[in-house]
Amino acid sequence: MKICDVLKNVEIELIFGDDTAELTTFERDSRKIKNGYCYVAIVGEKFDGNDFILESIKNGAESIICSRDLMEDEIEIVKNKKINVLKAKNTIVAIQDIAKYRRSLLNIPIIAITGSVGKTSTKDTIASVLSFKFKVLKTEGNLNNDIGLPFTILRYKDEDVMVVEMGMNGFNQMRVLTNIAKPTLIVVTNIGTAHIGILGSRENILKAKMEILEGLKGNTVIVNNDNDLLYKWGMGNNNKYNVITYGINEPSLYNAENIDAHEDYSEFEINNSKFRINVAGEHFVLNSLCAYSVGKVFNLSDDEIKKGLLDLKLTEKRMQKIDTNCGAIVINDAYNANYDSMKAAIEYLRSVNNHRKIAILGDMLELGDFSEKIHIDVGKEVYDIDLLITVGKEAKNIADNAKLERNKIFCFDNNDEAIAKIKEIIDENDLILVKASNGMKFSDIVEKIKTF
């Protein structure tokens, strides 16, 4: 995009530089800037990206988007190096508007994925399937908010299709994202309890998620039919949208049957055709069904979808299998947690044979007044495993309601105490599930266990 075209379509001004210059690679971390990049000075609650303008120039920035006047030393360097400087009232709004303009220039399909749980792993699975036939741009990690989504769109080079993840924790947030991305196909993985402390009910979560439909440039919506609220939504909207359903338990357009689950892979059938995914857990069978549904929209054959599933590489901390020095196996699912993802991970642990099964579970955050009940409900899912270790005040409700003998349960206030206990009891035959909300910093536990 040329700066002159951006100026016509975005509320932003060029205060130094050449308006015929092009803006190419956008980056908000001054440490990652390389020659020719455009540095975007994002202002957050605890940092001001404007403070790193000089660092970004030192690292090779050719253009700057900032939200304050330049200081004298900055002006001198900008003029000497012929840096393009654009100023906006709010750089977050500016980058959203630039991404919206960029999207308007693209004539490619964009798949938008939302849901209470499984967005990142579903995105990875869909992208893996489509990559067998197309060049795919996907959201990096879980950069799915009002900053991450615009930067994803602005990474576009020459891809055939884009797979973007959209998250929210309140009303009107999804509306912003979908009107930037203008998706041509929407996927909703489930409606659970994530952010229920903010939104107040699962019905409100559904309402907030379905704001995604406002930006839809098309008519197809793919939903998980095993989720009760999405099942009802699909039944009530199949005349308005082309609703494609997938599921394991509820009759759907695409069902997985004859599921054969193993420690680190699952096999299953769709329409009498056999598939395999090299990730454990029934919830990844659901992800595969979702990716199959998308693949069929894009006219992929069963064989092409099978190969795409086998090539799947998940974002870290999503049911990530990690070997330790002592021979034990860690399942690192420590990025985030809510009732649905906790239940799915525990179900996987229960299904495994030939290992001592240990669950290290921590607090689930952002549940508000529902926190105690939801932690109690998770506790009721803890049975048929060998040991339970909990960390955190709320996680004690998991321990109190677990269906295990009391001498198999250990409660701790912090990660260091839990690490010390694991070091004391760990054995080469252990399979250790590690799961909590990201704020609990359970990755520290995983890193320590690896060295035991």
Side-chain angles (χ1 to χ4, degrees):
M1 294 178 292
K2 288 189 176 181
I3 291 176
C4 56
D5 293 324
V6 172
L7 294 173
K8 293 175 185 176
N9 292 277
V10 177
E11 192 173 336
I12 197 169
E13 61 176 322
L14 179 67
I15 56 177
F16 293 103
D18 177 9
D19 69 353
T20 64
E22 290 190 350
L23 300 176
T24 53
T25 305
F26 293 78
E27 177 56 62
R28 57 177 169 159
D29 187 338
S30 59
R31 297 166 298 183
K32 296 180 179 178
I33 292 290
K34 297 180 181 179
N35 289 337
Y37 279 25
C38 175
Y39 171 62
V40 185
I42 298 293
V43 179
E45 291 182 5
K46 298 180 180 179
F47 65 91
D48 186 343
N50 293 292
D51 295 338
F52 303 96
I53 288 173
L54 289 181
E55 181 182 359
S56 71
I57 294 173
K58 180 182 177 182
N59 290 335
E62 188 175 275
S63 301
I64 306 288
I65 298 176
C66 61
S67 57
R68 65 158 169 80
D69 292 328
L70 298 186
M71 294 181 283
E72 288 186 11
D73 59 334
E74 294 171 335
I75 292 174
E76 183 179 351
I77 293 173
V78 160
K79 287 183 175 179
N80 288 338
K81 291 183 174 288
K82 298 182 180 179
I83 305 297
N84 307 303
V85 180
L86 296 102
K87 182 185 172 186
K89 291 180 181 179
N90 183 314
T91 51
I92 294 176
V93 173
I95 205 68
Q96 290 173 352
D97 289 343
I98 294 171
K100 189 181 296 185
Y101 169 60
R102 178 61 165 153
R103 170 64 180 106
S104 72
L105 303 176
L106 303 179
N107 185 27
I108 64 166
I110 295 184
I111 303 162
I113 303 163
T114 194
S116 295
V117 64
K119 293 184 292 295
T120 301
S121 54
T122 302
K123 170 210 67 186
D124 290 337
T125 311
I126 290 171
S128 183
V129 165
L130 293 180
S131 292
F132 185 82
K133 192 171 185 178
F134 304 102
K135 190 172 183 179
V136 178
L137 172 65
K138 69 173 183 176
T139 301
E140 292 181 340
N142 70 320
L143 299 177
N144 59 22
N145 62 8
D146 59 343
I147 300 174
L149 175 75
F151 276 97
T152 297
I153 292 172
L154 291 171
R155 282 173 39 227
Y156 175 83
K157 300 296 182 186
D158 59 356
E159 291 83 2
D160 304 309
V161 60
M162 201 180 298
V163 183
V164 298
E165 182 180 334
M166 294 186 182
M168 62 91 216
N169 58 17
F171 288 117
N172 299 316
Q173 296 176 6
M174 191 65 67
R175 179 171 290 118
V176 171
L177 302 182
T178 193
N179 281 301
I180 295 171
K182 294 292 184 183
T184 55
L185 172 65
I186 285 172
V187 171
V188 189
T189 61
N190 50 50
I191 303 298
T193 57
H195 313 302
I196 197 169
I198 297 171
L199 286 160
S201 69
R202 290 180 66 227
E203 287 72 20
N204 278 346
I205 294 171
L206 174 66
K207 185 177 179 181
K209 292 287 186 187
M210 286 309 182
E211 290 174 4
I212 196 173
L213 297 169
E214 295 178 17
L216 178 61
K217 292 176 61 177
N219 196 42
T220 300
V221 182
I222 298 175
V223 299
N224 171 9
N225 222 25
D226 285 353
N227 184 267
D228 57 340
L229 292 184
L230 290 177
Y231 177 88
K232 292 176 184 176
W233 181 90
M235 292 293 288
N237 287 275
N238 56 11
N239 290 325
K240 186 176 181 181
Y241 298 98
N242 173 32
V243 179
I244 296 175
T245 59
Y246 65 93
I248 294 174
N249 301 313
E250 292 293 336
S252 308
L253 180 61
Y254 301 116
N255 280 104
E257 299 176 317
N258 300 321
I259 298 172
D260 184 12
H262 296 263
E263 177 184 314
D264 52 5
Y265 72 94
S266 293
E267 294 180 331
F268 53 94
E269 293 180 2
I270 305 174
N271 295 334
N272 298 316
S273 185
K274 195 168 185 177
F275 293 79
R276 172 175 170 138
I277 184 167
N278 292 323
V279 187
E282 189 173 275
H283 48 309
F284 282 96
V285 175
L286 273 173
N287 292 349
S288 302
L289 274 170
C290 182
Y292 181 91
S293 304
V294 173
K296 287 303 174 183
V297 171
F298 282 80
N299 298 314
L300 269 67
S301 68
D302 281 8
D303 285 342
E304 289 170 332
I305 294 173
K306 289 175 185 179
K307 292 172 182 175
L309 290 176
L310 289 174
D311 287 340
L312 172 63
K313 293 178 178 62
L314 289 173
T315 299
E316 287 189 354
K317 304 179 189 176
R318 271 81 174 175
M319 294 298 285
Q320 181 185 10
K321 184 179 177 181
I322 298 174
D323 295 323
T324 66
N325 289 344
C326 74
I329 298 171
V330 174
I331 302 298
N332 181 12
D333 201 23
Y335 183 79
N336 222 333
N338 52 47
Y339 172 75
D340 302 278
S341 63
M342 278 278 198
K343 180 182 177 183
I346 295 167
E347 285 176 347
Y348 158 72
L349 188 63
R350 289 202 308 262
S351 71
V352 173
N353 297 316
N354 303 319
H355 287 279
R356 184 171 68 160
K357 297 176 278 192
I358 301 174
I360 305 177
L361 307 179
D363 288 355
M364 297 175 285
L365 307 178
E366 298 183 350
L367 296 176
D369 295 339
F370 297 87
S371 185
E372 180 179 358
K373 180 184 184 302
I374 292 173
H375 282 86
I376 288 171
D377 289 344
V378 168
K380 293 175 182 177
E381 298 294 328
V382 180
Y383 56 89
D384 290 344
I385 68 172
D386 297 291
L387 296 173
L388 170 66
I389 295 172
T390 67
V391 180
K393 179 181 177 181
E394 296 297 327
K396 289 179 181 177
N397 290 303
I398 298 176
D400 290 343
N401 291 275
K403 300 171 185 177
L404 299 177
E405 297 174 12
R406 293 298 100 180
N407 64 353
K408 295 183 177 181
I409 301 174
F410 305 91
C411 298
F412 299 105
D413 294 324
N414 59 64
N415 292 351
D416 289 340
E417 293 174 352
I419 290 167
K421 185 62 181 180
I422 283 290
K423 187 173 184 179
E424 175 188 327
I425 65 173
I426 195 168
D427 183 82
E428 64 180 4
N429 193 46
D430 290 343
L431 182 68
I432 306 171
L433 170 68
V434 182
K435 187 162 183 63
S437 283
N438 195 39
M440 295 298 289
K441 298 182 179 179
F442 266 28
S443 292
D444 295 343
I445 296 178
V446 172
E447 290 303 310
K448 287 291 185 181
I449 295 175
K450 285 164 60 177
T451 65
F452 291 162

